[in-house]
Amino acid sequence: EDKVVQSPLSLVVHEGDTVTLNCSYEVTNFRSLLWYKQEKKAPTFLFMLTSSGIEKKSGRLSSILDKKELFSILNITATQTGDSAVYLCAVLSGTYKYIFGTGTRLKVLA
Amino acid sequence: DTGVSQDPRHKITKRGQNVTFRCDPISEHNRLYWYRQTLGQGPEFLTYFQNEAQLEKSRLLSDRFSAERPKGSFSTLEIQRTEQGDSAMYLCASSLWLSAGGSPSTDTQYFGPGTRLTVL
């Protein structure tokens, strides 16, 4: 059965800290891996990764995929309270099926 | 603002009643997905449409659930004879998928704000 596992389940840090969120997967017919940020509403898109070893970057956030070891990491540097959210990882299996992990709940304290 | 809209944002209903939710995707998107999300879980796939065709339904979607996308634009999700276990956030997402041979880099899902259903 396809599955996406995120760790840690939750994390509490202080402003300015750097965090690394993990996403591992076992999925047939892998096509891409996506990261989303979810606050008290719908998920908002962060990154899509299809190739191993190519870092995607947006401001303080960056992500990379390892298709050999079947995982991805999402890094957030110099965290701010506005980064507090649930971070979801999803894998596209085949041409339409997205499988989501349960998310990592990040809380950044001032 | 992702451009996907859902209506209503909140719905409270009594067990046994029927409810209908609407999703308006980003206009140029040909794919539309429905998901259900419960507390502490990631979204679970329910069904998806490519244009007006419903191409896949999850086993989670019992006979009480039906979805339509009559003209390949907006979609509705109806739940008949609601049960307390149906209480969840119902999310809609849309994406642009190229025809056969299209690159997955174009199939980025954009989510709507969701409809939170509470069944009493």
Side-chain angles (χ1 to χ4, degrees):
Chain A
E1 184 182 338
D2 294 337
K3 63 180 177 181
V4 175
V5 178
Q6 293 186 244
S7 64
L9 291 181
S10 65
L11 195 52
V12 180
V13 300
H14 290 92
E15 270 193 321
D17 288 349
T18 293
V19 296
T20 298
L21 310 183
N22 302 290
C23 175
S24 64
Y25 60 92
E26 291 179 29
V27 170
T28 53
N29 199 8
F30 173 92
R31 293 294 293 267
S32 60
L33 184 145
L34 295 87
W35 284 96
Y36 289 88
K37 178 182 181 181
Q38 186 173 29
E39 297 169 269
K40 293 180 181 177
K41 49 186 180 178
T44 53
F45 172 75
L46 295 174
F47 297 112
M48 180 163 72
L49 304 156
T50 55
S51 301
S52 272
I54 299 174
E55 185 181 52
K56 294 261 179 120
K57 211 167 161 60
S58 176
R60 295 176 295 103
L61 277 67
S62 63
S63 183
I64 198 161
L65 173 67
D66 185 329
K67 289 169 73 173
K68 182 179 176 186
E69 299 298 329
L70 308 183
F71 77 93
S72 173
I73 59 172
L74 175 68
N75 278 321
I76 309 175
T77 59
T79 51
Q80 302 171 357
T81 55
D83 296 326
S84 296
V86 174
Y87 290 83
L88 292 167
C89 171
V91 173
L92 175 59
S93 170
T95 58
Y96 71 88
K97 187 177 181 184
Y98 286 87
I99 302 142
F100 283 80
T102 54
T104 292
R105 183 174 296 277
L106 173 66
K107 186 168 179 63
V108 182
L109 302 175
Chain B
D1 184 358
T2 63
V4 180
S5 62
Q6 291 186 245
D7 183 70
R9 298 288 301 276
H10 302 274
K11 178 72 177 177
I12 300 174
T13 191
K14 292 184 179 178
R15 187 163 51 94
Q17 298 294 304
N18 299 343
V19 295
T20 300
F21 310 142
R22 176 180 170 124
C23 170
D24 287 89
I26 293 171
S27 59
E28 62 268 26
H29 284 181
N30 55 2
R31 283 197 170 179
L32 187 149
Y33 294 76
W34 285 100
Y35 291 89
R36 181 170 65 192
Q37 187 176 26
T38 53
L39 199 61
Q41 300 296 317
E44 294 175 292
F45 170 81
L46 293 179
T47 189
Y48 94 104
F49 293 82
Q50 177 113 354
N51 300 310
E52 66 276 6
Q54 187 175 18
L55 298 186
E56 186 70 22
K57 289 171 61 171
S58 164
R59 288 170 294 175
L60 293 174
L61 217 62
S62 75
D63 291 345
R64 298 183 297 104
F65 288 71
S66 61
E68 293 182 345
R69 193 183 183 199
K71 297 181 181 178
S73 57
F74 75 93
S75 175
T76 58
L77 177 69
E78 181 183 16
I79 309 174
Q80 296 182 324
R81 304 181 304 280
T82 51
E83 301 173 356
Q84 288 182 326
D86 297 331
S87 295
M89 173 77 87
Y90 289 84
L91 294 166
C92 173
S94 71
S95 68
L96 176 63
W97 181 265
L98 297 179
S99 57
S103 163
S105 64
T106 61
D107 194 58
T108 299
Q109 291 192 330
Y110 293 91
F111 283 86
T115 295
R116 183 168 295 283
L117 173 67
T118 301
V119 181
L120 301 176

mmCIF file of all heavy atoms in Angstrom, chain A residues 5 21 26 40 62 65 85 91:
data_model
loop_
_atom_site.group_PDB
_atom_site.id
_atom_site.type_symbol
_atom_site.label_atom_id
_atom_site.label_comp_id
_atom_site.label_asym_id
_atom_site.label_seq_id
_atom_site.Cartn_x
_atom_site.Cartn_y
_atom_site.Cartn_z
ATOM 1 N N VAL A 5 5.094 9.209 4.957
ATOM 2 C CA VAL A 5 5.285 9.359 6.397
ATOM 3 C C VAL A 5 6.104 10.615 6.667
ATOM 4 O O VAL A 5 7.198 10.784 6.106
ATOM 5 C CB VAL A 5 6.010 8.130 6.991
ATOM 6 C CG1 VAL A 5 6.244 8.321 8.482
ATOM 7 C CG2 VAL A 5 5.192 6.866 6.740
ATOM 8 N N LEU A 21 12.229 19.424 8.253
ATOM 9 C CA LEU A 21 11.087 18.522 8.268
ATOM 10 C C LEU A 21 11.335 17.407 7.263
ATOM 11 O O LEU A 21 11.883 17.658 6.177
ATOM 12 C CB LEU A 21 9.807 19.285 7.906
ATOM 13 C CG LEU A 21 9.546 20.591 8.667
ATOM 14 C CD1 LEU A 21 8.222 21.194 8.251
ATOM 15 C CD2 LEU A 21 9.602 20.370 10.164
ATOM 16 N N GLU A 26 6.725 5.496 0.262
ATOM 17 C CA GLU A 26 6.756 4.222 -0.461
ATOM 18 C C GLU A 26 5.544 4.264 -1.383
ATOM 19 O O GLU A 26 4.413 4.087 -0.936
ATOM 20 C CB GLU A 26 6.621 3.041 0.502
ATOM 21 C CG GLU A 26 7.812 2.829 1.395
ATOM 22 C CD GLU A 26 7.593 1.648 2.333
ATOM 23 O OE1 GLU A 26 6.853 0.717 1.981
ATOM 24 O OE2 GLU A 26 8.155 1.683 3.447
ATOM 25 N N LYS A 40 -4.895 27.761 9.325
ATOM 26 C CA LYS A 40 -6.250 27.350 9.700
ATOM 27 C C LYS A 40 -7.174 27.343 8.491
ATOM 28 O O LYS A 40 -8.312 27.767 8.565
ATOM 29 C CB LYS A 40 -6.793 28.275 10.780
ATOM 30 C CG LYS A 40 -6.051 28.130 12.100
ATOM 31 C CD LYS A 40 -6.619 29.050 13.148
ATOM 32 C CE LYS A 40 -5.839 28.913 14.448
ATOM 33 N NZ LYS A 40 -6.325 29.856 15.476
ATOM 34 N N SER A 62 13.594 25.946 1.769
ATOM 35 C CA SER A 62 14.232 25.187 0.698
ATOM 36 C C SER A 62 13.866 23.722 0.853
ATOM 37 O O SER A 62 13.531 23.264 1.952
ATOM 38 C CB SER A 62 15.756 25.365 0.713
ATOM 39 O OG SER A 62 16.294 24.850 1.910
ATOM 40 N N LEU A 65 14.954 16.575 -2.868
ATOM 41 C CA LEU A 65 14.383 15.231 -3.001
ATOM 42 C C LEU A 65 15.509 14.226 -3.236
ATOM 43 O O LEU A 65 16.465 14.509 -3.971
ATOM 44 C CB LEU A 65 13.421 15.214 -4.193
ATOM 45 C CG LEU A 65 12.825 13.893 -4.643
ATOM 46 C CD1 LEU A 65 11.875 13.337 -3.581
ATOM 47 C CD2 LEU A 65 12.093 14.067 -5.965
ATOM 48 N N ALA A 85 2.567 26.521 11.465
ATOM 49 C CA ALA A 85 1.569 25.920 10.574
ATOM 50 C C ALA A 85 1.776 24.412 10.581
ATOM 51 O O ALA A 85 2.717 23.903 11.209
ATOM 52 C CB ALA A 85 1.728 26.439 9.138
ATOM 53 N N VAL A 91 2.693 13.018 -2.360
ATOM 54 C CA VAL A 91 3.369 12.376 -3.484
ATOM 55 C C VAL A 91 2.344 12.055 -4.556
ATOM 56 O O VAL A 91 1.284 11.513 -4.259
ATOM 57 C CB VAL A 91 4.091 11.095 -3.022
ATOM 58 C CG1 VAL A 91 4.646 10.332 -4.215
ATOM 59 C CG2 VAL A 91 5.216 11.457 -2.053
#
